[in-house]
Amino acid sequence: MNHITTGAGAPSRRTYAIYLAVTLLLATTTVLPAKEKSMSIQVRQGQLRSAPSYLSRVTENLKYASRVTILEEKGTWLRVRPAESTKEGWMHTSALTKKKLKLSAGEANASTTVSSEEQALAGKGFNSDVEAKFKENNAEIDFSWVDKMEKIKIKTSTLIKFLEQGDIKPSAEDAQ
Amino acid sequence: MKYMTTFILAVSLLMLSGCETLDMIAEGFTSAAVATGQITQAEADSIKKSSSAIGKAFDKLTPEQEYYVGRSVAATILSSYKPYDSQAANEYLNTIGQALALSSDMPETFGGWHFLIMDTDEINAFSAPGGLILISRGMLRCCKNETEVAAVLAHEIGHVQHQHGLRAIKKSRWTGALTTTLAEGAKNLGSEELAELTTAFEGSISDITSTMVNSGYARKLESEADATAIIIMKRVGYNPNGLKNMLLEMGKNLSHDKRGFAKTHPAPSDRIADIAPLLEACGPITTQIQRTARFKKTLGNI
């Protein structure tokens, strides 16, 4: 750290240069997201819905890593148009990322959504290959119940009925 | 000296911004400093490196990677705790859990939210990254109604939403090639890379499970999960006082059980004290016939 204080030039000019550099960078980074109109689906199965609510109907299922164009923002929901379809619908922001995602090698839809070059880049990070190796090294760890619990799915209609029958609804001020 | 103070101030301010921004700023900041002759390239590289280390390493994980971490954490825990194989009870738990998770700030995870009961008297619960949540029968016995079950689940959802599990991964796991590979490197995964990644993966799973099973999270993180639980419960329409009531019951039950929560969590009385200001406007829990009936039918004899 001491070296930083011993360069050439007046300290005030150096300070100014640093502040300027930092300010410009901050300005750039805050402007960028506004320009981004396209996002990727970062969940295994993206769901396009008829309204900005989980209690609304799913109109289409979208593939992992596929792109959508953002049309409108409403709270934590976005109205989007999928690249692979003309239908518009709503998705929650947590299902989307600004990053361009790569499909893992061997994914069923790999050939339809990414180029062969992108496929070659796929399969990095903690993925099914790493899990397979982990299982190989730790044979005593059984994944069967993890697979089983992942299959438990609650339908939207079941959920609506459950909430209605139990008279569970947020008070007006807590609703989102 | 004045210069150094400025530097520290600038860097400190920047630490408030996100990880990626921090990296970018470090890059631009140090380049500017090199260009104006204030620091050498070697020093600049060192600054860049340490700024990256300061940034939250787990931010580099995509939801898909978080999902794979979560699966192995859950499988590791389920090798010590047998699942409770009751379809009705597990479906009931998943229905309440789903309603809560969808009202969290992280309603969608790569593989979705899933809940499972562990067949043990021990009072315990685990939340694996990505939304695989395990609740013991002992824990469910601390709940006298559906609202209190919701409180337990909402607390665990809070841990996942704030990625507390991933925070338990030691910084030393995130070094060198691993960080590059996780942040989308340029090569395909070779056998050497796979072996290196698997070592880091095993280390990460071990860091998370040992924190969950042995040492527990810091009180600050438990408090954060409780505060989040209250927000989520309000959004769904469950009275957050359920959390307080459940903690009171847990306090009684824990006096006979020194395992699980007694070891890894702050005392229920401390947690109640922490959440008290958040519950001021919440009235008592009102009973509702259908809710009471389905709770008794499904978990009454858990």
mmCIF file of all heavy atoms in Angstrom, chain B residues 163-184:
data_model
loop_
_atom_site.group_PDB
_atom_site.id
_atom_site.type_symbol
_atom_site.label_atom_id
_atom_site.label_comp_id
_atom_site.label_asym_id
_atom_site.label_seq_id
_atom_site.Cartn_x
_atom_site.Cartn_y
_atom_site.Cartn_z
ATOM 1 N N GLN B 163 -29.046 -17.416 0.669
ATOM 2 C CA GLN B 163 -27.894 -18.252 0.301
ATOM 3 C C GLN B 163 -26.934 -18.472 1.470
ATOM 4 O O GLN B 163 -25.720 -18.458 1.300
ATOM 5 C CB GLN B 163 -27.166 -17.624 -0.895
ATOM 6 C CG GLN B 163 -28.071 -17.548 -2.131
ATOM 7 C CD GLN B 163 -27.347 -17.054 -3.361
ATOM 8 O OE1 GLN B 163 -26.787 -15.965 -3.341
ATOM 9 N NE2 GLN B 163 -27.342 -17.832 -4.424
ATOM 10 N N HIS B 164 -27.502 -18.680 2.658
ATOM 11 C CA HIS B 164 -26.660 -18.880 3.835
ATOM 12 C C HIS B 164 -25.807 -20.137 3.706
ATOM 13 O O HIS B 164 -24.690 -20.181 4.185
ATOM 14 C CB HIS B 164 -27.526 -18.952 5.102
ATOM 15 C CG HIS B 164 -28.138 -17.628 5.454
ATOM 16 N ND1 HIS B 164 -29.199 -17.498 6.307
ATOM 17 C CD2 HIS B 164 -27.829 -16.368 5.047
ATOM 18 C CE1 HIS B 164 -29.522 -16.210 6.428
ATOM 19 N NE2 HIS B 164 -28.710 -15.512 5.660
ATOM 20 N N GLY B 165 -26.348 -21.159 3.061
ATOM 21 C CA GLY B 165 -25.590 -22.404 2.879
ATOM 22 C C GLY B 165 -24.318 -22.151 2.085
ATOM 23 O O GLY B 165 -23.229 -22.564 2.484
ATOM 24 N N LEU B 166 -24.473 -21.439 0.979
ATOM 25 C CA LEU B 166 -23.311 -21.181 0.122
ATOM 26 C C LEU B 166 -22.260 -20.331 0.828
ATOM 27 O O LEU B 166 -21.073 -20.442 0.561
ATOM 28 C CB LEU B 166 -23.744 -20.496 -1.180
ATOM 29 C CG LEU B 166 -24.694 -21.279 -2.085
ATOM 30 C CD1 LEU B 166 -24.996 -20.484 -3.349
ATOM 31 C CD2 LEU B 166 -24.119 -22.636 -2.472
ATOM 32 N N ARG B 167 -22.709 -19.489 1.749
ATOM 33 C CA ARG B 167 -21.773 -18.648 2.494
ATOM 34 C C ARG B 167 -20.854 -19.476 3.382
ATOM 35 O O ARG B 167 -19.808 -19.002 3.820
ATOM 36 C CB ARG B 167 -22.517 -17.680 3.426
ATOM 37 C CG ARG B 167 -23.041 -16.464 2.742
ATOM 38 C CD ARG B 167 -23.963 -15.740 3.715
ATOM 39 N NE ARG B 167 -24.929 -14.967 2.984
ATOM 40 C CZ ARG B 167 -24.964 -13.638 3.018
ATOM 41 N NH1 ARG B 167 -24.140 -12.969 3.755
ATOM 42 N NH2 ARG B 167 -25.863 -12.992 2.318
ATOM 43 N N ALA B 168 -21.286 -20.694 3.689
ATOM 44 C CA ALA B 168 -20.484 -21.547 4.574
ATOM 45 C C ALA B 168 -19.275 -22.148 3.847
ATOM 46 O O ALA B 168 -18.370 -22.685 4.470
ATOM 47 C CB ALA B 168 -21.358 -22.658 5.151
ATOM 48 N N ILE B 169 -19.277 -22.041 2.523
ATOM 49 C CA ILE B 169 -18.148 -22.586 1.763
ATOM 50 C C ILE B 169 -16.907 -21.745 2.047
ATOM 51 O O ILE B 169 -16.936 -20.518 1.930
ATOM 52 C CB ILE B 169 -18.442 -22.599 0.239
ATOM 53 C CG1 ILE B 169 -19.708 -23.409 -0.052
ATOM 54 C CG2 ILE B 169 -17.248 -23.158 -0.532
ATOM 55 C CD1 ILE B 169 -20.152 -23.379 -1.509
ATOM 56 N N LYS B 170 -15.839 -22.430 2.450
ATOM 57 C CA LYS B 170 -14.610 -21.711 2.817
ATOM 58 C C LYS B 170 -14.042 -20.973 1.610
ATOM 59 O O LYS B 170 -14.026 -21.497 0.497
ATOM 60 C CB LYS B 170 -13.568 -22.701 3.343
ATOM 61 C CG LYS B 170 -13.913 -23.250 4.707
ATOM 62 C CD LYS B 170 -12.726 -24.031 5.281
ATOM 63 C CE LYS B 170 -13.143 -24.676 6.584
ATOM 64 N NZ LYS B 170 -13.100 -26.138 6.515
ATOM 65 N N LYS B 171 -13.539 -19.776 1.859
ATOM 66 C CA LYS B 171 -12.982 -18.947 0.784
ATOM 67 C C LYS B 171 -11.866 -19.684 0.046
ATOM 68 O O LYS B 171 -11.680 -19.500 -1.151
ATOM 69 C CB LYS B 171 -12.440 -17.641 1.363
ATOM 70 C CG LYS B 171 -13.504 -16.748 1.965
ATOM 71 C CD LYS B 171 -13.609 -15.437 1.247
ATOM 72 C CE LYS B 171 -14.707 -14.541 1.704
ATOM 73 N NZ LYS B 171 -15.578 -14.945 2.786
ATOM 74 N N SER B 172 -11.138 -20.509 0.779
ATOM 75 C CA SER B 172 -9.980 -21.188 0.178
ATOM 76 C C SER B 172 -10.375 -22.138 -0.952
ATOM 77 O O SER B 172 -9.557 -22.526 -1.756
ATOM 78 C CB SER B 172 -9.211 -21.953 1.252
ATOM 79 O OG SER B 172 -10.069 -22.884 1.876
ATOM 80 N N ARG B 173 -11.676 -22.508 -0.998
ATOM 81 C CA ARG B 173 -12.126 -23.393 -2.094
ATOM 82 C C ARG B 173 -12.186 -22.639 -3.415
ATOM 83 O O ARG B 173 -12.221 -23.229 -4.465
ATOM 84 C CB ARG B 173 -13.527 -23.931 -1.825
ATOM 85 C CG ARG B 173 -13.746 -24.493 -0.449
ATOM 86 C CD ARG B 173 -13.470 -25.977 -0.387
ATOM 87 N NE ARG B 173 -13.686 -26.464 0.957
ATOM 88 C CZ ARG B 173 -12.913 -27.349 1.554
ATOM 89 N NH1 ARG B 173 -11.877 -27.866 0.922
ATOM 90 N NH2 ARG B 173 -13.179 -27.749 2.764
ATOM 91 N N TRP B 174 -12.301 -21.325 -3.298
ATOM 92 C CA TRP B 174 -12.542 -20.512 -4.500
ATOM 93 C C TRP B 174 -11.251 -19.897 -5.004
ATOM 94 O O TRP B 174 -11.108 -18.706 -5.022
ATOM 95 C CB TRP B 174 -13.514 -19.390 -4.188
ATOM 96 C CG TRP B 174 -14.776 -19.825 -3.556
ATOM 97 C CD1 TRP B 174 -15.040 -19.857 -2.224
ATOM 98 C CD2 TRP B 174 -15.947 -20.300 -4.206
ATOM 99 N NE1 TRP B 174 -16.318 -20.315 -2.019
ATOM 100 C CE2 TRP B 174 -16.889 -20.591 -3.216
ATOM 101 C CE3 TRP B 174 -16.284 -20.497 -5.558
ATOM 102 C CZ2 TRP B 174 -18.155 -21.069 -3.511
ATOM 103 C CZ3 TRP B 174 -17.542 -20.978 -5.851
ATOM 104 C CH2 TRP B 174 -18.463 -21.262 -4.833
ATOM 105 N N THR B 175 -10.318 -20.707 -5.358
ATOM 106 C CA THR B 175 -9.061 -20.123 -5.803
ATOM 107 C C THR B 175 -8.724 -20.585 -7.210
ATOM 108 O O THR B 175 -9.275 -21.558 -7.714
ATOM 109 C CB THR B 175 -7.914 -20.539 -4.866
ATOM 110 O OG1 THR B 175 -7.954 -21.955 -4.748
ATOM 111 C CG2 THR B 175 -8.042 -19.891 -3.513
ATOM 112 N N GLY B 176 -7.797 -19.893 -7.789
ATOM 113 C CA GLY B 176 -7.167 -20.286 -9.050
ATOM 114 C C GLY B 176 -8.121 -20.755 -10.113
ATOM 115 O O GLY B 176 -9.100 -20.083 -10.432
ATOM 116 N N ALA B 177 -7.825 -21.911 -10.634
ATOM 117 C CA ALA B 177 -8.534 -22.437 -11.801
ATOM 118 C C ALA B 177 -10.028 -22.598 -11.530
ATOM 119 O O ALA B 177 -10.840 -22.403 -12.421
ATOM 120 C CB ALA B 177 -7.945 -23.771 -12.205
ATOM 121 N N LEU B 178 -10.359 -22.920 -10.284
ATOM 122 C CA LEU B 178 -11.762 -23.166 -9.968
ATOM 123 C C LEU B 178 -12.604 -21.929 -10.266
ATOM 124 O O LEU B 178 -13.627 -22.012 -10.938
ATOM 125 C CB LEU B 178 -11.919 -23.561 -8.497
ATOM 126 C CG LEU B 178 -13.369 -23.685 -8.065
ATOM 127 C CD1 LEU B 178 -14.056 -24.836 -8.761
ATOM 128 C CD2 LEU B 178 -13.484 -23.828 -6.570
ATOM 129 N N THR B 179 -12.153 -20.780 -9.762
ATOM 130 C CA THR B 179 -12.903 -19.542 -9.963
ATOM 131 C C THR B 179 -13.075 -19.277 -11.450
ATOM 132 O O THR B 179 -14.151 -18.918 -11.913
ATOM 133 C CB THR B 179 -12.161 -18.367 -9.292
ATOM 134 O OG1 THR B 179 -11.740 -18.815 -8.012
ATOM 135 C CG2 THR B 179 -13.047 -17.175 -9.148
ATOM 136 N N THR B 180 -11.998 -19.482 -12.200
ATOM 137 C CA THR B 180 -12.048 -19.250 -13.641
ATOM 138 C C THR B 180 -13.048 -20.192 -14.290
ATOM 139 O O THR B 180 -13.873 -19.800 -15.107
ATOM 140 C CB THR B 180 -10.660 -19.496 -14.262
ATOM 141 O OG1 THR B 180 -9.693 -18.917 -13.400
ATOM 142 C CG2 THR B 180 -10.547 -18.900 -15.637
ATOM 143 N N THR B 181 -12.976 -21.448 -13.905
ATOM 144 C CA THR B 181 -13.855 -22.451 -14.515
ATOM 145 C C THR B 181 -15.314 -22.165 -14.189
ATOM 146 O O THR B 181 -16.174 -22.253 -15.051
ATOM 147 C CB THR B 181 -13.490 -23.859 -13.999
ATOM 148 O OG1 THR B 181 -12.087 -23.978 -14.028
ATOM 149 C CG2 THR B 181 -14.114 -24.928 -14.857
ATOM 150 N N LEU B 182 -15.559 -21.796 -12.922
ATOM 151 C CA LEU B 182 -16.941 -21.538 -12.527
ATOM 152 C C LEU B 182 -17.480 -20.302 -13.220
ATOM 153 O O LEU B 182 -18.646 -20.209 -13.523
ATOM 154 C CB LEU B 182 -17.033 -21.368 -11.006
ATOM 155 C CG LEU B 182 -16.931 -22.653 -10.211
ATOM 156 C CD1 LEU B 182 -16.949 -22.343 -8.733
ATOM 157 C CD2 LEU B 182 -18.067 -23.604 -10.550
ATOM 158 N N ALA B 183 -16.598 -19.346 -13.471
ATOM 159 C CA ALA B 183 -17.047 -18.120 -14.130
ATOM 160 C C ALA B 183 -16.999 -18.284 -15.644
ATOM 161 O O ALA B 183 -16.725 -17.347 -16.367
ATOM 162 C CB ALA B 183 -16.190 -16.960 -13.664
ATOM 163 N N GLU B 184 -17.234 -19.489 -16.128
ATOM 164 C CA GLU B 184 -17.305 -19.785 -17.551
ATOM 165 C C GLU B 184 -15.967 -19.567 -18.246
ATOM 166 O O GLU B 184 -15.740 -18.552 -18.906
ATOM 167 C CB GLU B 184 -18.377 -18.911 -18.235
ATOM 168 C CG GLU B 184 -19.728 -19.071 -17.601
ATOM 169 C CD GLU B 184 -20.732 -19.779 -18.491
ATOM 170 O OE1 GLU B 184 -20.324 -20.308 -19.543
ATOM 171 O OE2 GLU B 184 -21.904 -19.821 -18.107
#
